[in-house]
């Protein structure tokens, strides 16, 4: 029986349109038509080339190893702890006045820092740093996120962001006294911003890898030959995406475990050394350098098309995002997911920051205790990622149903903290609760990251990966401009960290309900494929007309 072309294939080979200026480009880029602006504005450009190389075993493992090192222990965890440590040491108890210590035995539990013409709670300062970081991420993703679909810009963008993050982490060795809390804040923000950017631009590579594995190629060939039905093809292709997503997420957690164990080699013998925390950050970052550099060596070239004539890398991103947003009627489920994930990511990311602030206070900013807690989370995360994947693979459970399971726990985490407003019995007031939180977070939230990424991949038009993953990054990382700023205002006014949890519970609950009842993944996937095919056909027709002229 005859079949339409596989959803991720070009509808027909496109004739190369190579100018003299293009002859210096790699051959794979020369085969992608040179694009010009449409009459209606900026074109939608597919980054799929007809001769994309098959993913090699070496390339796939280098992909996993980059994520193994990019596990967040340094820029997401220890850097914030060091920043909060020196900020607290530099602050004072507002009930006792300047010169008092926030960590004294008779301290009130409140701690403020000079901030402009007034003061601000240390917790609020940390949340402001987070909110500002997410605002910068928003600027990055909106300005140059979509531009990563052109040429080799996306590849070099990841290199630059990674190197800046590495530099900020190594520079943390200089943070050795309370007076440097401002520098600690700056380095934390630079590291956090670039770390978030590496996650987004690295994740945008995932759909290209998934569609070019030997198994995916074989599935497409069978589908086009009429050997398997469309439903079988879609199910098997979805499982292939989940396989890579889950294994890469598991590797991130394996790297988390290895990094924390390496840290113990310094934290235990050098427990009394005042600079041990700085040494740990250098060791943590060094591990990422050793595991991450191979991706830049072994990544196969899959360049996108040249930048359209008359466009610029710093402006085309905004134009493409605006043009993409106007497609919401054609891609309703894609945009419903992006909106709901905006709320969900804001709620969960800010909840994690708030719990970390409470945890740091409880354990007196101890890198050693945070390492033990991190190990509990990392071990359970690794086991659960593989466990969820095998459960999904064995019963062939759709991605959305697996994601829903993790959403339930996402709602319960801030709910637990909210209970702590009215009682000290539970609600992140006790040591055992932070152990419990890290274990539960590991079991359910590691798969959450894998399934959320796969959901986005399934709802993304094939060949427009960086454009839509850039918006996804906006939802995932940059969304949290709102949460930290709202929470810091609540905490600054109330003096109580726990007053922020009700707002976060409402965000997570609302987002989860939209995902559960408002998204049809199967229909959304087919809408995305149809949209991509329509735009590629239109693009081809315009190029043929230009070529004929």
């Amino acid at each position: 029986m005859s079949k339409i072309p596989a959803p991720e294939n070009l509808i027909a080979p496109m004739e190369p349109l190579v100018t003299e200026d293009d002859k210096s480009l790699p051959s794979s880029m020369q085969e992608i038509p040179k694009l010009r602006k449409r009459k209606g504005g900026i074109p939608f450009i597919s980054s799929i080339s007809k001769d994309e190389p098959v993913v090699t075993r070496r390339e796939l493992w280098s992909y996993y190893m980059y994520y193994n090192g990019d596990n967040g222990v340094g820029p997401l965890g220890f850097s914030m702890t060091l920043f909060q440590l020196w900020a607290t040491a530099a602050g004072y108890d507002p009930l006792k006045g300047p010169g008092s210590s926030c960590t004294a035995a008779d301290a009130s539990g409140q701690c403020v820092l000079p901030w402009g013409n007034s003061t601000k709670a240390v917790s609020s300062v940390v949340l402001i740093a987070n909110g500002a970081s997410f605002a910068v991420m928003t600027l990055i993703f909106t300005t140059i996120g979509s531009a990563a679909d052109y040429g080799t810009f996306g590849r070099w963008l990841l290199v630059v962001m990674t190197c800046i993050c590495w530099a900020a982490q190594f520079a943390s060795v200089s943070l050795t006294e309370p007076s440097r809390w401002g520098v600690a804040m700056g380095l934390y923000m630079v590291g956090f911003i670039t770390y978030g950017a590496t996650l987004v631009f690295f994740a945008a590579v995932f759909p290209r890898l998934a569609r070019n594995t030997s198994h995916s190629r074989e599935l497409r060939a069978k589908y086009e030959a009429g050997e398997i039905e469309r439903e079988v093809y879609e199910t098997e292709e979805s499982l292939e995406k989940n396989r890579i997503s889950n294994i890469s997420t598991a590797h991130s957690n394996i790297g988390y475990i290895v990094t924390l164990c390496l840290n113990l080699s310094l934290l235990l013998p050098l427990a009394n050394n005042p600079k041990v925390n700085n040494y740990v950050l250098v060791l943590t970052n060094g591990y990422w350098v050793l595991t991450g550099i191979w991706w830049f060596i072994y990544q196969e070239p899959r360049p996108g098309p040249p930048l359209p004539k008359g466009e610029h890398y710093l402006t085309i991103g905004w134009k493409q995002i605006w043009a993409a947003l106007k497609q919401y009627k054609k891609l309703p489920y894609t945009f419903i997911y992006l909106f709901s994930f905006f709320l969900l990511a804001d709620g969960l990311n800010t909840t994690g920051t708030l719990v970390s602030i409470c945890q740091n206070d409880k354990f007196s900013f101890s890198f050693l205790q945070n390492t033990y807690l991190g190990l509990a989370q990392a071990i359970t995360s690794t086991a659960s990622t593989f466990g969820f994947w095998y459960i999904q693979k064995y019963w062939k459970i759709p991605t959305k149903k697996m994601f829903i399971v993790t959403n339930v726990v996402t709602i319960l985490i801030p709910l637990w903290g909210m209970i702590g407003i009215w009682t000290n019995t539970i609600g992140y007031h006790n040591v055992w609760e932070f152990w419990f939180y890290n274990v539960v977070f590991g079991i359910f939230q590691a798969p959450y990251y894998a399934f959320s990424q796969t959901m986005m991949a399934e709802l993304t038009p094939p060949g427009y990966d960086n454009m839509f993953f850039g918006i996804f990054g906006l939802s995932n990382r940059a969304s949290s401009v709102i949460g930290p700023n709202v929470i810091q205002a609540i905490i600054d006014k109330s003096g109580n960290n726990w007053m922020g949890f009700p707002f976060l519970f409402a965000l997570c609950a609302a987002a989860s309900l939209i995902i559960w009842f408002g998204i049809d993944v199967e229909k959304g996937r087919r809408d995305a494929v149809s949209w991509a095919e329509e735009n590629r056909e239109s693009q081809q027709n315009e190029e043929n007309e230009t070529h004929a002229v």
Side-chain angles (χ1 to χ4, degrees), residues 144-155 157 201 204 208 304 313 466:
I144 57 179
S146 295
D149 279 321
Y150 299 96
T152 59
F153 185 66
R155 183 171 188 162
L157 189 59
F201 295 127
R208 293 190 190 189
Y313 282 111
N466 277 292

Side-chain angles (χ1 to χ4, degrees), residues 198-320:
T198 64
L199 292 181
V200 171
F201 295 127
F202 188 66
V205 177
F206 158 65
R208 293 190 190 189
L209 281 182
R211 70 170 170 256
N212 283 297
T213 63
S214 56
H215 183 58
S216 292
R217 292 283 189 90
E218 183 181 345
L219 283 172
R220 280 202 296 274
K222 288 182 177 179
Y223 175 72
E224 291 181 336
E227 296 176 17
I228 57 176
E229 295 292 337
R230 182 185 184 111
E231 291 75 14
V232 175
Y233 170 75
E234 289 179 343
T235 299
E236 292 298 323
E237 186 203 40
S238 176
L239 287 173
E240 179 70 352
K241 288 177 180 175
N242 275 287
R243 180 181 74 88
I244 295 176
S245 182
N246 278 281
I247 292 176
S248 63
T249 301
H251 270 283
S252 178
N253 289 301
I254 291 170
Y256 200 21
I257 295 172
V258 174
T259 303
L260 293 173
C261 289
L262 285 174
N263 292 344
L264 291 176
S265 68
L266 291 179
L267 288 169
L268 293 176
L270 301 179
N272 296 321
N273 189 315
K275 295 183 179 180
V276 65
N277 294 343
N278 308 81
Y279 299 152
V280 164
L281 269 171
V282 171
L283 178 63
T284 298
N285 197 49
Y287 177 80
W288 181 11
V289 173
L290 289 175
T291 57
I293 197 169
W294 305 107
W295 172 246
F296 303 123
I297 297 173
Y298 294 128
Q299 180 186 6
E300 292 287 338
R302 296 183 184 89
L307 196 69
K309 187 177 180 180
E311 296 297 339
H312 194 278
Y313 282 111
L314 294 179
T315 57
I316 195 168
W318 289 92
K319 293 178 181 179
Q320 285 223 333

Side-chain angles (χ1 to χ4, degrees), residues 146-225:
S146 295
D149 279 321
Y150 299 96
T152 59
F153 185 66
R155 183 171 188 162
W156 287 107
L157 189 59
L158 181 62
V159 172
V160 170
M161 290 297 171
T162 302
C163 289
I164 293 174
C165 190
W166 286 347
Q169 292 294 286
F170 281 133
S172 296
V173 74
S174 65
L175 306 174
T176 57
E177 56 187 43
S179 63
R180 308 214 68 186
W181 74 266
V183 179
M185 179 177 180
L187 287 176
Y188 165 67
M189 290 176 65
V190 171
F192 187 41
I193 290 166
T194 50
Y195 164 71
T198 64
L199 292 181
V200 171
F201 295 127
F202 188 66
V205 177
F206 158 65
R208 293 190 190 189
L209 281 182
R211 70 170 170 256
N212 283 297
T213 63
S214 56
H215 183 58
S216 292
R217 292 283 189 90
E218 183 181 345
L219 283 172
R220 280 202 296 274
K222 288 182 177 179
Y223 175 72
E224 291 181 336

Side-chain angles (χ1 to χ4, degrees), residues 305-486:
L307 196 69
K309 187 177 180 180
E311 296 297 339
H312 194 278
Y313 282 111
L314 294 179
T315 57
I316 195 168
W318 289 92
K319 293 178 181 179
Q320 285 223 333
I321 287 176
W322 176 245
L325 290 174
K326 291 192 291 186
Q327 303 299 309
Y328 71 93
K329 289 184 179 179
K330 295 182 178 179
L331 300 168
Y333 295 111
T334 300
F335 283 96
I336 290 173
Y337 179 65
L338 286 167
F339 171 73
S340 57
F341 195 73
F342 180 97
L343 300 178
L344 186 65
D346 195 358
L348 183 60
N349 291 340
T350 310
T351 297
T353 301
L354 188 53
V355 174
S356 294
I357 289 171
C358 297
Q359 179 176 298
N360 284 332
D361 283 336
K362 188 67 178 180
F363 291 98
S364 303
F365 316 103
S366 170
F367 269 41
L368 182 60
Q369 288 298 325
N370 281 337
T371 296
Y372 289 142
L373 290 166
L375 277 171
Q377 183 181 133
I379 292 170
T380 52
S381 293
T382 305
S384 68
T385 301
F386 282 121
F388 271 70
W389 160 238
Y390 284 120
I391 290 170
Q392 182 186 26
K393 181 181 178 182
Y394 185 81
W395 279 286
K396 297 188 182 298
I397 302 173
T399 303
K400 180 182 172 181
K401 290 184 178 179
M402 301 298 290
F403 193 36
I404 286 174
V405 174
T406 68
N407 291 161
V408 174
V409 178
T410 302
I411 297 172
L412 294 178
I413 290 173
L415 176 62
W416 189 274
M418 190 168 71
I419 296 172
I421 297 174
W422 302 289
T423 177
N424 288 331
T425 304
I426 59 172
Y428 305 122
H429 291 290
N430 308 291
V431 170
W432 69 265
E433 289 182 280
F434 292 104
W435 283 97
F436 181 70
Y437 161 76
N438 279 278
V439 170
V440 170
F441 192 95
I443 292 173
F444 292 97
Q445 296 309 297
Y448 155 90
Y449 290 110
F451 294 129
S452 65
Q453 177 177 273
T454 306
M455 279 271 287
M456 187 64 228
E458 296 208 29
L459 295 170
T460 293
Y464 302 84
D465 310 317
N466 277 292
M467 179 195 299
F468 282 90
F469 266 83
I471 302 174
F472 182 59
L474 193 67
S475 296
N476 186 12
R477 292 286 164 186
S479 65
S480 297
V481 173
I482 301 172
N485 286 299
V486 171

